[in-house]
Amino acid sequence: MATSSLSPYKLLVAACLARFCSSAAVAYPPYNALSHSGHGHNLSFDYVIVGSGPGGLVMANRLTEQANVSVAVIEAGSLPEDTTGNLTTVPGYNFVFDLISPAQAPSAIDWGFVTTPQPGLNDVLILDQLGGSSNLNAMAWAESSKGAFDRWADEIGDESFRFATVEKYYNKAITFTPPDQESRRANATPSYDPAPLGKTGPLAITYPAYAHSWSTWLLVALQAIGVRNTDTFLTGNLNGSAWQVNTINHTTGARASADRAYLRPYLQRPNLAVFNGTLAERIIFDGRKVAQGVQVTTGNSSYILRAKREVILSGGSFQSSQLLQVSGVGPAAVLQEHGIPVIADRPGVGLNMNDQLFFGIAHRVDLPTDSTLAANVALDVELFNTNATGRLTSPGGEISGFEKIPAELRANFSASTSEMPKLKRVFHLFAALASFPSDWPEMGYLTLPNFTGNGTAPSPNDGYNYASIFATLMAPTSIGNVSISSSRMSDPPVINPNWLTTQSDIEVSIAMFKRLRQAWAVPALRNGLNTPEEYYPGPSVQTDAQIEAFIRSNMVPLYHGSATNKMGKKGDELAVVDSHGRVFGVEHHMLAEKIADQVKNGQ
């Protein structure tokens, strides 16, 4: 469940989980697993899981801890190294798969999905393979805020989602290893309390063995503008600044992804079967709306994997919604338009999508960054391969920060942005910032030791060193949706993030831009610049209108699309699943650690 920065209503569910529950739980003899591949012609399992991202693999791992329970995992991709070598293994290579424009050719592990046209923003591409996005993300690990979990518990009417209860699942997932401080700079010493952190979980987390000198200056700048140091983001408190913990194996220096943590060490379990290179086509329902299994295709062979207990969807925000709809669960009008028999009219399937965006400001700096350090790649490779040290052990964004927009910049916010509206919008994400939990940040800070621009602008090749500070929209109010383009899973879904379509998002983004400039203006940072003039976007961007124009053409997504299958109470017509992850309107049919416990306990 590794995430870069976090969204208020998605931190518990690492991938979109939906359950279709059966009526009886029966013992099932161990099944001889098919290892990585194989054609299963109408085979039966207790649980059939669609998707092998963080959510699906946690479920598969925990369920197969019970020797008398059989589980099949359906995955359209394969092991990432089969097609990309070590690019998903080495933390310093994590930038390779940052796809922003459809003009960029997708790699062998990308789905190649493109959003609908977004005013002022470029379309984006989405990816897939065993382990899901945990193989390609920035490896940042953090816990959500206490207030976000309390809000979640209140809205779904389930006390078990309060932070005090959920925190144990964070720690159940991880093994924290302190950093080797001798391999990091003396002024890059993180502060943390290891006592409450997990020590026996399958997912390795640590601080990278290398810290860029640029990162130490950013920490100074953030504290100077009021983003106080809070040591870690592992206590349910986000607002502040700290060195970032990452999902990295301390011994090898390599990325710790969901498949490396929850799948590979357990592939020899006789009750676990993984069908890779296999596309889930639709969920099979009987006349009582009970899910019987999943129709799949491997190569040219089509067959059914039957579920004796449950079908569990973990296809992410896009394809879980798509699979529900092509299977007859979704908005009736959409299903009928594509000739799909309606099993359950659930208008909320595919709605409520939100995603975070970020942009940055770059300067030329007087200290070594990746702009020049990257030229010594042979040394980097030697250090990584020899003793798991050096620049390649770090994904680059070693400092993070979060905050509410300060009062002096809120003064110009419109009432619709800063005040609670009298009428709440649907989906529980409103125009007003006041509607978010009181401890939830509105802005995040990220950094990279290089020039990044908008992701497509060419980097300067002039021998100077560059660094970037980024602002992330942490409280987006623009709402998108995911729909279907046909009745077939082989056709791409229609993805409309609807980015930057509320006044709140625009006003907050302009304030974020101004905060970045305040950080760059801190005397300690100014003294370390090669030239006082801002390199990107430059001094020509001054007025609010100019800042907005820059943001609209330079903001890029964090690939945090979420919330398209809303969890809610039974009476909420836009809710898709209940607090146990069960789909409304059908039968048989998160922190995945939490829902895995619920399934194992018969809830």
Side-chain angles (χ1 to χ4, degrees):
M1 152 172 178
T3 59
S4 332
S5 51
L6 310 171
S7 162
Y9 305 113
K10 70 183 181 183
L11 284 167
L12 197 61
V13 182
C16 186
L17 293 171
R19 296 168 53 198
F20 299 80
C21 309
S22 63
S23 54
V26 296
Y28 192 78
Y31 178 76
N32 291 323
L34 298 177
S35 184
H36 287 301
S37 63
H39 293 237
H41 293 279
N42 302 326
L43 296 173
S44 294
F45 301 85
D46 290 313
Y47 298 93
V48 175
I49 299 174
V50 180
S52 71
L57 291 185
V58 171
M59 294 290 292
N61 178 289
R62 296 309 187 186
L63 291 174
T64 54
E65 289 176 341
Q66 304 170 100
N68 65 339
V69 170
S70 61
V71 173
V73 178
I74 302 166
E75 171 54 49
S78 64
L79 293 173
E81 62 265 31
D82 291 346
T83 53
T84 63
N86 68 352
L87 293 181
T88 62
T89 302
V90 180
Y93 295 160
N94 74 296
F95 64 90
V96 171
F97 299 99
D98 290 343
L99 300 179
I100 306 300
S101 167
Q104 296 173 271
S107 73
I109 58 174
D110 295 317
W111 277 105
F113 294 160
V114 179
T115 67
T116 60
Q118 300 292 300
L121 297 179
N122 292 326
D123 296 340
V124 297
L125 300 170
I126 310 301
L127 48 93
D128 192 65
Q129 71 287 306
L130 278 164
S133 60
S134 70
N135 270 309
L136 304 176
N137 63 15
M139 290 157 274
W141 177 269
E143 298 179 7
S144 185
S145 77
K146 296 175 182 177
F149 279 111
D150 288 344
R151 173 68 59 82
W152 192 344
D154 291 340
E155 292 197 357
I156 65 175
D158 189 334
E159 292 296 303
S160 71
F161 278 81
R162 296 203 181 279
F163 182 83
T165 303
V166 166
E167 186 178 22
K168 67 181 180 183
Y169 292 106
Y170 276 119
N171 291 320
K172 181 179 180 179
I174 62 172
T175 290
F176 171 75
T177 304
D180 292 328
Q181 196 53 50
E182 61 270 16
S183 68
R184 293 170 63 96
R185 300 175 187 274
N187 58 353
T189 302
S191 300
Y192 56 87
D193 178 7
L197 301 179
K199 299 174 180 62
T200 59
L203 185 66
I205 70 169
T206 189
Y207 294 93
Y210 181 91
H212 289 81
S213 56
W214 159 245
S215 297
T216 66
W217 288 102
L218 176 65
L219 196 60
V220 170
L222 290 181
Q223 293 189 69
I225 64 171
V227 186
R228 61 186 178 86
N229 184 269
T230 52
D231 293 341
T232 75
F233 303 120
L234 303 175
T235 61
N237 300 301
L238 287 178
N239 286 311
S241 58
W243 290 98
Q244 182 64 62
V245 177
N246 295 95
T247 51
I248 290 175
N249 185 296
H250 174 267
T251 302
T252 65
R255 175 193 295 269
S257 61
D259 65 294
R260 291 180 176 88
Y262 285 95
L263 176 64
R264 298 188 199 210
Y266 308 97
L267 275 171
Q268 298 309 311
R269 285 180 178 173
N271 55 341
L272 173 64
V274 179
F275 295 82
N276 71 314
T278 299
L279 181 67
E281 302 281 7
R282 66 187 179 97
I283 302 160
I284 305 298
F285 293 95
D286 65 13
R288 297 174 298 144
K289 299 184 179 181
V290 175
Q292 299 294 304
V294 181
Q295 180 181 334
V296 300
T297 298
T298 305
N300 295 322
S301 179
S302 182
Y303 50 98
I304 295 173
L305 296 177
R306 298 196 176 275
K308 290 181 174 290
R309 298 191 187 184
E310 295 187 8
V311 172
I312 299 173
L313 303 191
S314 182
S317 294
F318 303 145
Q319 285 162 295
S320 285
S321 297
Q322 183 188 16
L323 184 57
L324 284 172
Q325 292 180 64
V326 301
S327 303
V329 179
V334 173
L335 307 184
Q336 292 163 355
E337 176 186 350
H338 294 284
I340 300 171
V342 178
I343 302 296
D345 179 12
R346 301 304 305 178
V349 174
L351 298 184
N352 197 34
M353 177 184 169
N354 71 91
D355 192 9
Q356 294 161 326
L357 298 160
F358 73 104
F359 59 87
I361 292 177
H363 273 263
R364 186 183 291 173
V365 296
D366 253 348
L367 72 169
T369 68
D370 283 355
S371 302
T372 56
L373 293 173
N376 203 358
V377 65
L379 176 62
D380 295 334
V381 171
E382 179 184 357
L383 290 172
F384 185 88
N385 290 337
T386 302
N387 53 21
T389 61
R391 199 173 58 88
L392 292 181
T393 64
S394 171
E398 296 145 351
I399 294 292
S400 294
F402 303 96
E403 68 171 351
K404 298 281 190 183
I405 300 296
E408 69 270 17
L409 292 176
R410 304 179 81 89
N412 294 325
F413 284 175
S414 62
S416 63
T417 295
S418 60
E419 299 175 4
M420 175 72 80
K422 294 181 179 179
L423 296 176
K424 295 181 179 180
R425 287 182 56 193
V426 295
F427 315 139
H428 303 284
L429 285 174
F430 333 96
L433 296 177
S435 66
F436 285 87
S438 60
D439 66 349
W440 185 255
E442 296 159 354
M443 173 183 179
Y445 293 89
L446 303 172
T447 181
L448 284 177
N450 54 37
F451 170 84
T452 303
N454 64 1
T456 59
S459 298
N461 187 23
D462 53 14
Y464 290 104
N465 286 289
Y466 292 85
S468 304
I469 307 178
F470 300 95
T472 303
L473 183 62
M474 292 296 298
T477 57
S478 298
I479 300 299
N481 59 80
V482 177
S483 190
I484 53 176
S485 60
S486 76
S487 60
R488 299 180 298 274
M489 285 298 292
S490 56
D491 293 327
V494 179
I495 304 169
N496 175 25
N498 221 23
W499 288 307
L500 293 182
T501 54
T502 66
Q503 188 65 23
S504 172
D505 286 354
I506 296 300
E507 292 180 359
V508 172
S509 296
I510 292 172
M512 286 161 41
F513 182 94
K514 294 176 180 179
R515 281 296 271 170
L516 291 185
R517 281 190 167 162
Q518 289 176 2
W520 277 111
V522 168
L525 213 57
R526 300 293 292 179
N527 293 336
L529 299 181
N530 178 272
T531 173
E533 185 171 291
E534 179 180 283
Y535 184 84
Y536 185 86
S540 62
V541 177
Q542 292 295 332
T543 67
D544 283 2
Q546 290 169 338
I547 294 173
E548 179 179 344
F550 167 78
I551 290 169
R552 287 192 176 277
S553 60
N554 287 272
M555 229 176 190
V556 294
L558 270 178
Y559 308 105
H560 286 177
S562 66
T564 56
N565 291 310
K566 178 187 174 183
M567 183 179 285
K569 299 176 182 177
K570 187 175 182 179
D572 183 352
E573 70 168 3
L574 293 177
V576 179
V577 299
D578 66 12
S579 64
H580 297 288
R582 297 173 298 208
V583 176
F584 289 120
V586 296
E587 301 291 340
H588 247 289
H589 199 9
M590 279 184 60
L591 241 143
E593 289 282 11
K594 183 178 189 299
I595 291 185
D597 266 6
Q598 293 176 333
V599 174
K600 290 167 70 174
N601 294 330
Q603 299 178 27

